[in-house]
Amino acid sequence: MSFLVRRILASLLLVWIVASIVFLAIHLVPGDPAELLLSAGGAAPDPVTVAELRDRLGLNLPLRTQYGHFLGGLLHGDLGTSLVDDYPVLDEIALRLPRTLELIVAATIIALAVALPTGTWAALHKGSAFDRIAAATAGLVLAVPVFVVGTLMVLALAQTLHLMPAGGYVPLAKAPGQHLLLLAMPAIAIAGGLSAVLFRMTRAAVLDVAGRDFVRTAWAKGLSPARVQIRHVLRNALSPVLTVLGLHMGALLGGTVLVEYVFNWPGLSTPLLAAVDARDYPMVVGIVLVTSTLFLVINLVMDLLYAVLDPRIGVS
Amino acid sequence: MKRLAVPAGLVGVIVLLAIAAPWLGLPDPVRQDVGHRLAHPDAGNLLGRDEFGRDVLSRLIWGARTSLAVAFSSAAIAGFLGTFLGLLGGWFRGAGALLALGSADIILCFPPVLLALLVVTLLGPGALTLVLVLSVLFLPGFARVTYAEVLAVRGLDYVEAAQAMGATTARILFRTVLPNVAGPILVQLSLAVAAAVVLESGLTFLGLGVVPPSPSWGLMIRGARTTMEQAPLLLLWPCAALTATILSINLLCDALRDAADPRKTVTLSSRS
């Protein structure tokens, strides 16, 4: 229990630090955000308009007061409004975050479904043709950036073979089949690199566990191979695989931005990129904060899962 | 050493091509010739022309220059600062150095692409912004690795011997400790270069990294997406160049890791 509380407190502290860094980054970067925003068009901004915008953004208040407002807003779930269209940032995120999460969950499931069996099989048949081919494939897949995988999938499956639509989105309630079809391509693109990483880790972990004493005991007891390999070997090999999955969530969240762009998947990527282009600070800050928090929460969940898989961790 | 030769040679060829780009007699990579847009390959343009009539081969080779310049300079800056921080932290273990190491770790709380996008919003897109973001992103990795290695080495006999001979702290740190922890730092450097190439091309692909008309693989893939139906090869060339470069650097990472520590066989490659 104390392990749980400590981990949650540490995560909250990190969220606060992340929020503070984002706040400071905006306010300490040389140049006036209001002026930068208005001069994006190229012409020198009108001083009166700049002053008005400074006032609206609260930039004339002392830094400490601004920081107070910022944190107070966060606690109330208020992330401000977009500078471009005055739309509340939180509403935009609430609309689009589920779609991004759906993509990440689907990609993780696909990656695990590929990596766990192949990694275990490769480890149990170390040095076989399968092992060598799988290892070489993983090495090759890791060298292809996720947006290249996505773009090439569009070229091959949509443009050349006409097997799939090139991208887009249909709500699940409207057309479930079409929804899953449109989900499949971006999810597979994201899952590619992840499954290669997880394959390597599964193989290494299974190799490590398969040589331990308790596995030899399990064999000596006369348990069936399936029971030894799944209950004893794979279960104990899962912890390091989960850790690596947690570590790669950051890269996965970034990769999702790119893949959503490639496949026109209307997740967080679209408003984020538009906001970066228009220098819409509240929107960028909101999305970066929510995504970083999500990253920290995922790692927290991983740690807790870790404790479930290996009860010794919670005790210490 | 034998296993290092092939990947090192591959990376060497790519780096040489990138450095030699201005002297290879290539057509101007930014000169547009809209009359010959999407032209097929001929004697003057071995890989044809792109959607603005620019020579594709020339843009590929100049693109390597952009990618590698950004990747190597950010890895070098991060490596230099991170190693220095790790050396000081691991040797003195003072409050200040440990605090600096801890705060560097906070960077790891941000998903890399999102931190980069935040900085691009603040500073505007461009190669310099990219170098800055990537150096900040890779710094904690170097600091961590160096710190851990220095901790492992500082109590060893040869360090004590150097101290007993009256060597100054600076001399011990840079002449005795640093060479003995250089292996893992070199591995980290190659990992950082590979990750930097991936991130640079990704951000540029989104239109938020290297700005046009600079030739860059990310921009070439971005541009070729619109004409992929008429000219799929335009899309395939930069994808192939990018993948081949990352693959060569990854292979070099693995070989360096084996050379630096023959006991470890587990390999986890660069983050995408």
Side-chain angles (χ1 to χ4, degrees), chain B residues 212-244:
Chain B
S214 299
S216 140
W217 294 334
L219 279 175
M220 292 175 77
I221 298 173
R222 179 181 170 82
R225 249 161 52 97
T226 50
T227 53
M228 69 163 82
E229 225 162 330
Q230 304 110 290
L233 273 179
L234 274 188
L235 187 64
L236 290 177
W237 288 121
C239 285
L242 186 57
T243 303

Side-chain angles (χ1 to χ4, degrees), chain A residues 14 17-19 21-22 25-26 29-30 36 139-140 142-148 151-152 154-155 159-160 162 193 197 200-201 204 244 247-255 257-258 261-264 269 272-273 275-277 279-281 284-285 287-289 291-293 295-296, chain B residues 103 105-125 144 197-203 205-208 217-218 221-222 225 228-229 231-233 235-236 238-240 242-248 250 254 257 265-272:
Chain A
L14 281 175
I17 294 175
V18 163
I21 290 178
V22 170
I26 286 182
V29 152
L36 274 175
L140 188 66
L142 275 176
V144 193
V146 65
F147 69 95
V148 172
T151 311
L152 292 180
V154 171
L155 177 68
Q159 293 284 358
T160 310
H162 301 286
V197 170
R200 286 184 168 189
M201 198 62 228
V244 169
L247 287 174
H248 275 266
M249 274 298 156
L252 203 58
L253 287 167
V257 173
L258 287 153
Y261 174 80
V262 171
F263 290 100
N264 283 322
S269 163
L272 176 63
L273 296 177
V276 173
D277 218 30
R279 304 200 140 182
D280 183 355
Y281 296 93
V284 177
V285 166
I287 295 174
V288 169
L289 274 184
T291 322
S292 304
T293 309
F295 181 35
L296 290 170
Chain B
S103 42
D105 272 359
I106 288 171
I107 294 162
L108 303 173
C109 292
F110 291 96
V113 171
L114 285 136
L115 186 67
L117 288 176
L118 178 69
V119 178
V120 171
T121 318
L122 297 170
L123 300 179
R144 276 187 168 191
V197 172
V198 174
L199 271 171
E200 180 272 329
S201 60
L203 289 171
F205 172 72
L206 291 175
L208 300 166
W217 294 334
I221 298 173
R222 179 181 170 82
R225 249 161 52 97
M228 69 163 82
E229 225 162 330
L233 273 179
L235 187 64
L236 290 177
C239 285
L242 186 57
T243 303
T245 304
I246 297 167
L247 187 62
S248 315
N250 279 352
D254 288 349
R257 198 190 328 249
T265 48
V266 179
T267 52
L268 295 173
S269 224
S270 61
R271 308 205 296 174
S272 59

Side-chain angles (χ1 to χ4, degrees), chain B residues 164-223:
Chain B
M165 286 195 300
T168 60
T169 308
R171 192 184 161 83
I172 295 175
L173 272 183
F174 293 107
R175 301 292 297 270
T176 310
V177 174
L178 189 58
N180 283 292
V181 301
I185 297 175
L186 206 61
V187 173
Q188 191 68 23
L189 194 71
S190 60
L191 282 173
V193 171
V197 172
V198 174
L199 271 171
E200 180 272 329
S201 60
L203 289 171
T204 305
F205 172 72
L206 291 175
L208 300 166
V210 177
V211 279
S214 299
S216 140
W217 294 334
L219 279 175
M220 292 175 77
I221 298 173
R222 179 181 170 82

Side-chain angles (χ1 to χ4, degrees), chain B residues 4-262:
Chain B
L4 256 174
V6 174
L10 285 174
V11 175
V13 168
I14 298 169
V15 171
L16 270 182
L17 268 178
I19 294 175
W23 299 284
L24 291 178
L26 294 163
D28 185 345
V30 284
R31 206 196 60 230
Q32 303 192 356
D33 182 358
V34 186
H36 291 96
R37 69 190 296 269
L38 306 178
H40 288 293
D42 57 38
N45 310 87
L46 289 177
L47 296 182
R49 294 167 184 263
D50 71 1
E51 72 275 19
F52 291 113
R54 297 172 296 198
D55 180 57
V56 171
L57 179 64
S58 174
R59 285 183 72 74
L60 271 186
I61 294 175
W62 279 86
R65 209 174 150 87
T66 318
S67 275
L68 293 180
V70 168
F72 277 100
S73 41
S74 51
I77 294 171
F80 187 77
L81 294 177
T83 304
F84 191 67
L85 204 61
L87 270 179
L88 292 186
W91 185 258
F92 294 109
R93 291 191 289 182
L98 291 183
L99 190 71
L101 280 174
S103 42
D105 272 359
I106 288 171
I107 294 162
L108 303 173
C109 292
F110 291 96
V113 171
L114 285 136
L115 186 67
L117 288 176
L118 178 69
V119 178
V120 171
T121 318
L122 297 170
L123 300 179
L128 270 182
T129 309
L130 276 178
V131 172
L132 178 79
V133 176
L134 296 175
S135 333
V136 170
L137 279 175
F138 299 140
L139 198 149
F142 285 100
R144 276 187 168 191
V145 167
T146 314
Y147 176 74
E149 289 296 318
V150 172
L151 279 191
V153 160
R154 62 185 311 232
L156 295 183
D157 287 346
Y158 60 82
V159 178
E160 254 177 61
Q163 278 172 312
M165 286 195 300
T168 60
T169 308
R171 192 184 161 83
I172 295 175
L173 272 183
F174 293 107
R175 301 292 297 270
T176 310
V177 174
L178 189 58
N180 283 292
V181 301
I185 297 175
L186 206 61
V187 173
Q188 191 68 23
L189 194 71
S190 60
L191 282 173
V193 171
V197 172
V198 174
L199 271 171
E200 180 272 329
S201 60
L203 289 171
T204 305
F205 172 72
L206 291 175
L208 300 166
V210 177
V211 279
S214 299
S216 140
W217 294 334
L219 279 175
M220 292 175 77
I221 298 173
R222 179 181 170 82
R225 249 161 52 97
T226 50
T227 53
M228 69 163 82
E229 225 162 330
Q230 304 110 290
L233 273 179
L234 274 188
L235 187 64
L236 290 177
W237 288 121
C239 285
L242 186 57
T243 303
T245 304
I246 297 167
L247 187 62
S248 315
I249 303 174
N250 279 352
L251 287 174
L252 185 62
C253 291
D254 288 349
L256 274 177
R257 198 190 328 249
D258 290 349
D261 186 0

Side-chain angles (χ1 to χ4, degrees), chain A:
Chain A
M1 190 59 200
S2 74
F3 168 76
L4 185 79
V5 174
R6 248 186 303 131
R7 275 301 280 115
I8 291 175
L9 283 180
S11 300
L12 281 176
L13 181 72
L14 281 175
V15 170
W16 171 67
I17 294 175
V18 163
S20 305
I21 290 178
V22 170
F23 174 82
L24 282 178
I26 286 182
H27 292 272
L28 296 185
V29 152
D32 179 358
E35 204 165 319
L36 274 175
L37 177 75
L38 292 168
S39 58
D46 173 27
V48 182
T49 330
V50 171
E52 265 172 26
L53 186 65
R54 281 188 65 88
D55 208 40
R56 213 192 104 201
L57 294 175
L59 291 173
N60 292 323
L61 300 168
L63 200 61
R64 214 187 308 158
T65 322
Q66 288 188 47
Y67 182 59
H69 286 172
F70 175 72
L71 285 187
L74 285 188
L75 288 178
H76 291 105
D78 177 12
L79 293 171
T81 58
S82 160
L83 296 181
V84 177
D85 55 9
D86 262 338
Y87 196 73
V89 170
L90 195 70
D91 291 5
E92 183 77 23
I93 294 176
L95 171 72
R96 289 168 179 273
L97 184 62
R99 300 175 187 157
T100 296
L101 286 180
E102 185 188 4
L103 203 52
I104 292 177
V105 170
T108 310
I109 292 173
I110 296 173
L112 283 172
V114 172
L116 289 182
T118 49
T120 311
W121 189 265
L124 294 176
H125 301 84
K126 194 183 167 205
S128 66
F130 176 83
D131 183 26
R132 275 174 297 165
I133 292 170
T137 313
L140 188 66
V141 168
L142 275 176
V144 193
V146 65
F147 69 95
V148 172
V149 177
T151 311
L152 292 180
M153 279 174 77
V154 171
L155 177 68
L157 298 176
Q159 293 284 358
T160 310
L161 300 174
H162 301 286
L163 288 175
M164 295 273 213
Y169 178 82
V170 178
L172 182 64
K174 212 166 152 193
Q178 184 72 4
H179 177 85
L180 291 179
L181 188 67
L182 287 169
L183 174 69
M185 285 232 288
I188 291 171
I190 299 173
L194 184 65
S195 56
V197 170
L198 294 180
F199 162 79
R200 286 184 168 189
M201 198 62 228
T202 309
R203 183 181 177 278
V206 168
L207 273 180
D208 177 42
V209 174
R212 301 265 186 89
D213 287 348
F214 66 84
V215 176
R216 202 179 44 195
T217 309
W219 284 115
K221 280 197 295 189
L223 295 181
S224 70
R227 197 171 165 81
V228 175
Q229 281 160 9
I230 293 170
R231 286 269 324 198
H232 293 260
V233 176
L234 192 57
R235 180 176 170 175
N236 284 288
L238 274 182
S239 297
V241 176
L242 271 184
T243 311
V244 169
L245 182 61
L247 287 174
H248 275 266
M249 274 298 156
L252 203 58
L253 287 167
T256 311
V257 173
L258 287 153
V259 168
E260 283 182 4
Y261 174 80
V262 171
F263 290 100
N264 283 322
W265 184 265
L268 283 176
S269 163
T270 322
L272 176 63
L273 296 177
V276 173
D277 218 30
R279 304 200 140 182
D280 183 355
Y281 296 93
M283 189 61 90
V284 177
V285 166
I287 295 174
V288 169
L289 274 184
V290 168
T291 322
S292 304
T293 309
L294 188 68
F295 181 35
L296 290 170
V297 170
I298 292 172
N299 272 300
L300 178 66
V301 172
M302 290 289 168
D303 273 10
L304 301 181
L305 268 181
Y306 207 63
V308 171
L309 277 176
D310 187 347
R312 284 167 299 181
I313 291 171
V315 177
S316 63

